């Protein structure tokens, strides 16, 4: 169990961070997830893919946590925290671009956002995402498509074609 | 252009996520060259995908926080789960010893686990599990408060107690606390290494076994070495998977024996 789950922890933290934004909230979620994984390890379907099972637990915890705090105030603080946590190698301009992107991602409905993140960040196959979220593959595709189109509408292709200042204006 | 199957919207997504076979990918490459507006949209998909990864991949490089240490979590659960039957077993053992005592007179007085160095080892094991392995608050006095803690422990034990220095062996002194044992107050000093591995030294006064050579013990996933010198008992304990505990215990014994051993 240890050998299977421990290597997943960095990726679990990444997914939780992308959903929750705030570092402590994300890590609390991962901790809850690991507790459940430990408790229910023997109950999982042995045929099932462990990664999907673990991510499904985390995902369900995240969704109920997000439902609890959807107030705008919390979101606003959260984005600043993210900018801070990304400070390492990002120049200020990069920071602005990230922030625009993260703001835009935040406006995507959670059920689409999680598909986008699992595919883009975790490199899950569409079938694996379907299994994790317990939805048909067709639904995965349509949510992914809507999430990506929304980002295009909100951000344009500013990253390559325009400077960060232009990006900022377009979003605000 | 050769005739190709019509391009599906979801194949554009799969193109972005690199989920197409090589042949179809080539066909879509050609299609995108011929259709700049679609190509522009796909480029944006790709750019956003990459930017998301740039934004969140640094999380993968962060050290895992203590609260997410799976080893600690498993150990904590094992203790919780083990408790009920372990206590039942202890009661059963106690009843058997009591019963046997009735039959065989004072045999239980010679039970090595009843007192002395063996109970020191057991108390050190319990303190290690409860305190030293706690992910959030393993110590009450941090490293900087070492002198304050040694003064307190020394006054409670009515003996001069020192905190061995294991930095040369790769262990940093984290801090310690006063703990309760069946045989009175004891000092618990906790150390960790660069990988978060912890060990602890328990020290208390000994009513019996006051001078005892070092002996190894292992119980409940915790191994240790215990000895007593001139009425002070010491037990050095760590998770059973810890390597090189014996030389560390030797080093600690050397330091506490030295009249002017290093004091933190």
């Amino acid at each position: 169990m240890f050998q299977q789950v421990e290597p997943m922890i960095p990726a679990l933290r990444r997914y939780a961070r992308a959903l929750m934004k705030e570092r402590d909230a994300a890590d609390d979620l991962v901790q809850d997830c690991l507790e459940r994984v430990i408790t229910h390890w023997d109950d999982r379907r042995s045929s099932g893919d462990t990664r999907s099972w673990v991510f499904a637990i985390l995902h369900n915890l995240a969704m109920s946590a997000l439902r609890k705090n959807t107030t705008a105030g919390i979101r606003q603080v959260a984005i600043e925290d993210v900018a801070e946590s990304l400070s390492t190698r990002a120049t200020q301009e990069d920071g602005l671009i990230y922030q625009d992107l993260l703001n835009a991602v935040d406006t995507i409905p959670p059920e689409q956002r999680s598909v986008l993140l699992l595919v883009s960040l975790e490199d899950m196959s569409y079938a694996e995402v379907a299994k994790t979220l317990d939805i048909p593959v067709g639904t995965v595709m349509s949510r992914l498509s809507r999430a990506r189109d929304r980002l295009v509408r909100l951000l344009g292709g500013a990253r390559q074609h325009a400077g960060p200042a232009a990006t900022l204006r377009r979003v605000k | 252009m050769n005739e190709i199957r019509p391009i599906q919207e979801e194949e554009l997504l799969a193109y972005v996520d690199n989920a197409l076979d090589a042949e179809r990918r080539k066909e879509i490459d050609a299609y995108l060259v011929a259709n700049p507006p679609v190509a522009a949209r796909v480029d944006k998909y790709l750019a956003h995908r990459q930017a998301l990864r740039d934004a969140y991949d640094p999380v993968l490089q962060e050290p895992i926080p203590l609260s997410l240490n799976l080893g600690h979590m498993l150990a904590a659960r094992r203790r919780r789960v083990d408790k009920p039957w372990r206590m039942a077993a202890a009661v059963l053992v106690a009843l058997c010893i009591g019963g046997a005592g009735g039959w065989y007179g004072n045999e239980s007085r010679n039970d090595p686990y009843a007192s002395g160095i063996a109970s020191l080892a057991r108390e050190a094991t319990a303190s290690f599990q409860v305190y030293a392995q706690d992910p959030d608050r393993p110590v009450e006095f941090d490293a900087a408060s070492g002198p304050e803690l040694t003064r307190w422990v020394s006054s409670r034990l009515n003996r001069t107690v020192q905190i061995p220095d294991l930095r040369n062996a790769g262990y940093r002194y984290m801090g310690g606390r006063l703990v309760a044992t069946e045989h009175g107050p004891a000092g618990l000093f906790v150390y960790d290494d660069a990988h978060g591995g912890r060990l602890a030294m328990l020290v208390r006064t000994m009513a019996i076994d006051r001078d005892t050579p070092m002996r190894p013990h292992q119980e409940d996933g915790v191994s240790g070495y215990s000895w007593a010198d001139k009425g002070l008992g010491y037990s050095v304990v760590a998770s059973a998977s810890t390597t090189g505990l014996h030389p560390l215990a030797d080093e600690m014994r050397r330091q506490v024996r030295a009249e002017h051993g290093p004091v933190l």
Side-chain angles (χ1 to χ4, degrees), chain B residues 146-229:
Chain B
E148 198 185 332
L149 179 61
T150 49
R151 269 197 303 278
W152 189 29
V153 172
S154 298
S155 81
R156 290 304 304 269
L157 302 188
N158 211 12
R159 295 285 298 263
T160 303
V161 167
Q162 294 169 344
I163 303 172
D165 180 350
L166 296 179
R167 277 175 295 190
N168 287 338
Y171 278 83
R172 172 186 70 111
Y173 173 61
M174 293 174 76
R177 63 170 78 228
L178 188 78
V179 299
T181 76
E182 291 168 41
H183 300 88
L188 182 74
F189 306 119
V190 183
Y191 301 76
D192 68 354
D193 69 7
H195 312 292
R198 291 186 186 165
L199 66 85
M201 184 179 87
L202 182 94
V203 54
R204 67 161 166 84
T205 53
M206 303 292 286
I208 59 168
D209 286 351
R210 293 173 58 83
D211 284 282
T212 311
M214 187 180 286
R215 63 158 81 157
H217 47 84
Q218 183 164 343
E219 188 196 357
D220 215 3
V222 177
S223 55
Y225 292 87
S226 300
W227 73 96
D229 273 333

Side-chain angles (χ1 to χ4, degrees), chain B:
Chain B
M1 194 198 284
N2 292 336
E3 214 172 289
I4 59 167
R5 276 185 294 130
I7 305 288
Q8 306 284 337
E9 183 63 34
E10 52 190 63
E11 287 181 301
L12 296 178
L13 296 174
Y15 177 87
V16 170
D17 295 315
N18 218 353
L20 292 174
D21 61 54
E23 197 186 336
R24 189 61 173 164
R25 190 173 175 84
K26 240 188 275 174
E27 290 177 352
I28 290 187
D29 274 332
Y31 167 86
L32 291 176
V33 169
N35 294 274
V38 181
R41 180 159 60 93
V42 168
D43 277 349
K44 288 170 194 169
Y45 289 170
L46 282 165
H48 295 153
R49 178 187 155 96
Q50 189 55 48
L52 261 181
R53 298 172 78 100
D54 290 346
Y56 288 110
D57 279 355
V59 175
L60 297 180
Q61 305 307 321
E62 292 175 8
I64 307 293
L66 218 50
S67 61
L68 302 182
N69 184 316
L70 194 60
H72 292 168
M73 294 173 82
L74 281 168
R77 174 168 171 79
R78 221 171 285 131
R79 282 196 301 281
R80 280 199 303 276
V81 171
D82 280 3
K83 278 267 157 66
W85 69 257
R86 196 173 288 282
M87 280 172 75
V91 168
L92 200 64
V93 167
L95 287 172
C96 289
I97 289 173
W103 283 105
Y104 299 113
N106 291 327
E107 202 70 22
S108 67
R109 203 174 283 167
N110 298 325
D111 174 12
Y113 289 95
S115 58
I117 204 85
S119 63
L120 172 73
R122 211 172 52 233
E123 290 158 4
T125 298
S127 278
F128 180 79
Q129 290 176 324
V130 172
Y131 296 115
Q133 286 189 321
D134 188 296
D136 299 320
R137 198 171 165 80
V139 300
E140 189 183 350
F141 287 75
D142 61 13
S145 313
E148 198 185 332
L149 179 61
T150 49
R151 269 197 303 278
W152 189 29
V153 172
S154 298
S155 81
R156 290 304 304 269
L157 302 188
N158 211 12
R159 295 285 298 263
T160 303
V161 167
Q162 294 169 344
I163 303 172
D165 180 350
L166 296 179
R167 277 175 295 190
N168 287 338
Y171 278 83
R172 172 186 70 111
Y173 173 61
M174 293 174 76
R177 63 170 78 228
L178 188 78
V179 299
T181 76
E182 291 168 41
H183 300 88
L188 182 74
F189 306 119
V190 183
Y191 301 76
D192 68 354
D193 69 7
H195 312 292
R198 291 186 186 165
L199 66 85
M201 184 179 87
L202 182 94
V203 54
R204 67 161 166 84
T205 53
M206 303 292 286
I208 59 168
D209 286 351
R210 293 173 58 83
D211 284 282
T212 311
M214 187 180 286
R215 63 158 81 157
H217 47 84
Q218 183 164 343
E219 188 196 357
D220 215 3
V222 177
S223 55
Y225 292 87
S226 300
W227 73 96
D229 273 333
K230 300 189 180 72
L232 266 189
Y234 300 87
S235 182
V236 176
V237 282
S239 151
S241 58
T242 307
T243 52
L245 189 59
H246 195 175
L248 285 166
D250 283 340
E251 171 61 18
M252 289 167 119
R253 183 176 56 179
R254 191 188 65 73
Q255 290 188 22
V256 296
R257 271 181 182 170
E259 208 172 345
H260 300 289
V263 179
L264 288 175

